[in-house]
């Protein structure tokens, strides 16, 4: 056996010390837990949301769904190779965009509603301008972003000119949509990036990965990752920035959802359904942050009171795995996509 | 592997990778942390202040405000 390299051994020790320091400091700041701090609150009402719209039109699994900033239009991407834009008030399709590759895993709507982005196993991100249509009325491609070594898993627009993507090659990239050039690349994840969520003021964003961590990045200081949250014992499939921008909700393959507080830099709550036998594929929060909502492998949507930690109910309806969940910015509804080929809109 | 697109980690020796990891971890270890009591209180305060606007919690103030309501038919007088 080769002798141990003293340099490497020294580094490994430094690594252990740094990890121990983080854990020590976090512990020293944990002067209360969620149940202690929220003992005075009464429980949030049990969930009363119902399926208000069933958006039928895709003819294969729907992998991703996202709202426009107008809280009225939704884009969905399916393995049938189409993006569909829906008006959730009427439940009607307003546009259908055929994709060059059917392998779409993730979609995003720009806040303005002018652009949609999509990508997946084609290892590229394509942006369509929905107002710029060809002679047959189909939205034209505005930009294609290449250079990935893995599938596109997640993407979010800051605005019509700026898009951030997460991919299976561990990359997180901020693109200038107009020029198609990389603005910055964020390094840190050691596994596929699976999900991302922007803060409402666009100052920070969070990513979740197969490496089991959630990382927080500062858009104004992109050189290094700001914080890393450990705790999930399997892939982090979904993250969602708390509306206050002070915390992050996550859903994981480890069958738990958790709440991570940014300022105390630690997990503050864990959520499990009455029978925890399925991983969570997607998550979101209601407008105030009181409810945390997760879509599951077992076709069910679970909701919890984020402060009391109690299960607030489950929503049935989808007939196959739920793949993605999007919350309207106004908080008026949330939408889910599924392998059952439908998109459902849920509201009170 | 296309070196132009490769993740920088793949182009480093394992010792260099370890150095990068240790430096980053030390940076993250040194951030300012707030007490959880203070942090959770602020979360509580935000949530309670915004509950009235949370449609999934309190519903719609009137049926007129509900875009998913059953539209009643109009009669021509």
């Amino acid at each position: 056996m080769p002798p141990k390299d003293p340099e490497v051994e020294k580094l490994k020790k430094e690594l252990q010390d740094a990890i121990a320091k983080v854990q020590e400091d976090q512990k020293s700041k944990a002067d209360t837990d969620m149940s202690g701090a929220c003992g005075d609150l009464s429980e949030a009402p049990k969930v009363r949301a119902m399926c208000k719209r069933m958006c039928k039109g895709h003819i294969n699994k729907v992998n991703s769904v996202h709202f426009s900033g107008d809280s009225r239009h939704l884009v969905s991407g399916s393995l049938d190779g189409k993006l569909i834009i829906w008006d959730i008030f009427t439940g009607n399709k307003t546009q259908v965009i055929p994709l060059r590759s059917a392998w779409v895993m993730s979609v995003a709507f720009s806040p303005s509603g002018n652009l949609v982005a999509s990508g997946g196993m084609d290892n590229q991100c394509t942006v369509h301008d929905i107002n710029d249509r060809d002679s047959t009325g189909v939205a034209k491609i505005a930009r294609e972003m290449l250079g990935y070594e893995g599938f596109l898993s997640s993407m979010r627009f800051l605005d019509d000119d700026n898009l951030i993507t997460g991919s299976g090659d561990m990359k997180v990239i901020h693109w200038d949509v107009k020029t198609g050039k990389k603005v910055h690349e964020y390094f840190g994840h050691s596994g596929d990036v699976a999900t991302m969520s922007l803060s409402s003021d666009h100052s920070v964003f969070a990513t979740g990965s197969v490496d089991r961590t959630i990382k927080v990045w500062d858009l104004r200081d992109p050189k290094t990752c700001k914080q890393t949250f450990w705790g999930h014992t399997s892939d982090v499939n979904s993250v969602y920035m708390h509306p206050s921008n002070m915390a992050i909700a996550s859903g994981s393959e480890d069958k738990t959802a958790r709440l991570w507080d940014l300022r105390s830099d630690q997990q503050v709550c864990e959520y499990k359904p009455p029978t925890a036998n399925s991983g969570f594929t997607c998550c979101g929060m209601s407008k105030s942050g009181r409810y945390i909502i997760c879509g599951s492998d077992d076709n069910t949507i679970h909701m919890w009171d984020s402060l009391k930690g109690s299960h607030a109910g489950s929503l049935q309806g989808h007939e196959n795995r739920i793949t993605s969940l999007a919350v309207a910015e106004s908080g008026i509804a949330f939408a889910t996509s599924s392998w059952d080929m439908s998109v459902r809109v849920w509201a009170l | 592997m296309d070196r132009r697109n490769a993740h920088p980690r793949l182009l480093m020796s394992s010792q260099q990778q370890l150095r990068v990891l240790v430096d980053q971890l030390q940076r993250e270890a040194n951030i300012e942390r707030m007490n959880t009591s203070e942090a959770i209180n602020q979360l509580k305060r935000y949530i309670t202040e915004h509950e009235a606007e949370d449609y999934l919690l309190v519903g719609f103030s009137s049926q007129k405000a509900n875009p998913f309501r059953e539209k009643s038919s109009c009669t021509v007088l």
Side-chain angles (χ1 to χ4, degrees):
Chain A
M1 200 175 88
K4 288 191 175 180
D5 182 340
E7 276 305 310
V8 169
E9 288 310 300
K10 182 157 158 283
L11 284 171
K12 282 185 180 172
K13 173 86 184 18
E14 281 184 58
L15 195 63
Q16 311 287 35
D17 289 345
I19 293 172
K21 181 157 188 258
V22 169
Q23 292 173 334
E24 239 175 76
D25 197 35
Q26 287 172 341
K27 202 141 176 268
S28 74
K29 296 295 196 294
D31 57 343
T32 186
D33 62 10
M34 203 63 136
S35 52
C38 297
D40 58 327
L41 290 176
S42 47
E43 268 183 26
K46 292 293 173 221
V47 74
R48 296 170 291 139
M50 293 180 287
C51 180
K52 292 294 185 178
R53 293 290 180 265
M54 255 265 267
C55 300
K56 289 195 150 159
H58 283 299
I59 55 174
N60 206 324
K61 298 173 175 174
V62 188
N63 276 340
S64 182
V65 72
H66 193 226
F67 269 100
S68 157
D70 69 3
S71 294
R72 176 169 179 161
H73 293 89
L74 204 58
V75 61
S76 59
S78 161
L79 293 183
D80 64 9
K82 308 255 192 309
L83 296 182
I84 298 182
I85 297 176
W86 311 85
D87 173 346
I88 63 160
F89 290 3
T90 60
N92 296 332
K93 299 182 208 31
T94 61
Q95 275 201 52
V96 176
I97 304 174
L99 298 171
R100 285 188 181 160
S101 160
W103 300 106
V104 60
M105 313 271 304
S106 177
V107 300
F109 225 136
S110 67
S112 66
N114 292 328
L115 305 174
V116 290
S118 58
M121 308 278 223
D122 56 348
N123 291 8
Q124 72 177 56
C125 179
T126 304
V127 175
H128 285 83
D129 181 339
I130 66 171
N131 301 314
D132 183 18
R133 321 224 201 144
D134 64 20
S135 51
T136 67
V138 169
K140 291 198 228 168
I141 291 176
R143 184 61 60 199
E144 281 174 308
M145 270 79 82
L146 312 172
Y148 295 94
E149 311 242 303
F151 65 95
L152 274 289
S153 64
S154 45
M155 51 195 68
R156 285 292 178 257
F157 283 95
L158 292 165
D159 52 43
D160 283 2
D161 296 329
N162 293 279
L163 177 71
I164 308 184
T165 64
S167 41
D169 52 7
M170 313 187 292
K171 294 185 190 181
V172 177
I173 305 175
H174 173 178
W175 297 92
D176 176 329
V177 178
K178 282 215 155 53
T179 62
K181 293 203 158 68
K182 287 187 195 182
V183 173
H184 207 90
E185 201 167 323
Y186 294 82
F187 299 108
H189 276 302
S190 54
D192 303 7
V193 178
T195 175
M196 71 171 55
S197 183
L198 305 174
S199 67
S200 57
D201 58 5
H202 291 178
S203 60
V204 300
F205 67 99
T207 52
S209 163
V210 160
D211 70 11
R212 307 180 178 183
T213 71
I214 293 158
K215 285 183 182 284
V216 181
W217 315 87
D218 185 335
L219 281 152
R220 295 155 308 192
D221 181 19
K223 286 204 165 56
T224 58
C225 170
K226 295 299 157 224
Q227 277 172 275
T228 302
F229 292 105
W230 288 277
H232 275 304
T233 55
S234 188
D235 304 3
V236 180
N237 289 328
S238 181
V239 292
Y240 191 85
M241 194 65 82
H242 192 284
S244 66
N245 296 328
M246 301 191 288
I248 301 167
S250 65
S252 165
E253 204 57 40
D254 72 6
K255 305 174 189 168
T256 69
R258 299 184 196 212
L259 190 67
W260 312 84
D261 178 78
L262 286 167
R263 277 90 41 76
S264 59
D265 185 46
Q266 55 194 279
Q267 176 183 320
V268 288
C269 206
E270 190 169 314
Y271 311 95
K272 286 186 177 158
T275 17
N277 47 19
S278 289
F280 295 116
T281 56
C282 49
C283 71
M285 299 194 96
S286 67
K287 182 107 172 109
S288 65
R290 189 64 195 260
Y291 284 130
I292 168 171
I293 312 163
C294 284
S296 169
D297 262 346
D298 72 357
N299 321 349
T300 312
I301 297 160
H302 289 284
M303 287 176 76
W304 293 265
D305 176 335
S306 68
L307 296 176
K308 300 294 280 183
S310 47
H311 189 243
S314 50
L315 298 169
Q316 310 288 353
H318 276 301
E319 294 164 12
N320 207 325
R321 171 198 282 235
I322 296 170
T323 49
S324 163
L325 188 152
V327 185
E329 203 185 298
S330 63
I332 167 199
F334 65 93
T336 49
S337 59
S338 166
W339 279 5
D340 70 7
M341 309 193 211
S342 76
V343 170
R344 285 174 185 251
V345 180
W346 310 81
L348 252 54
Chain B
M1 174 181 74
D2 182 346
R3 286 182 78 86
R4 287 166 304 163
N5 289 328
H7 194 290
R9 186 164 302 174
L10 301 174
L11 304 172
M12 286 182 214
S13 73
S14 56
Q15 184 170 325
Q16 287 171 311
Q17 287 184 43
L18 208 44
R19 179 80 261 164
V20 167
L21 199 59
V22 170
D23 288 346
Q24 177 59 29
L25 210 44
Q26 282 170 344
R27 256 191 299 268
E28 291 181 26
N30 289 330
I31 63 170
E32 285 288 319
R33 292 180 179 83
M34 187 188 278
N35 282 332
T36 52
S37 56
E38 175 63 35
I40 294 175
N41 270 333
Q42 289 189 22
L43 280 176
K44 261 172 85 176
R45 198 164 7 171
Y46 179 94
I47 289 174
T48 41
E49 281 170 12
H50 290 85
E51 276 183 352
E53 317 153 9
D54 188 338
Y55 295 105
L56 292 173
L57 192 60
V58 302
F60 298 98
S61 48
S62 72
Q63 272 303 79
K64 276 215 166 87
N66 181 357
F68 304 109
R69 72 187 182 282
E70 293 301 317
K71 307 277 192 293
S72 52
S73 54
C74 304
T75 51
V76 178
L77 297 170

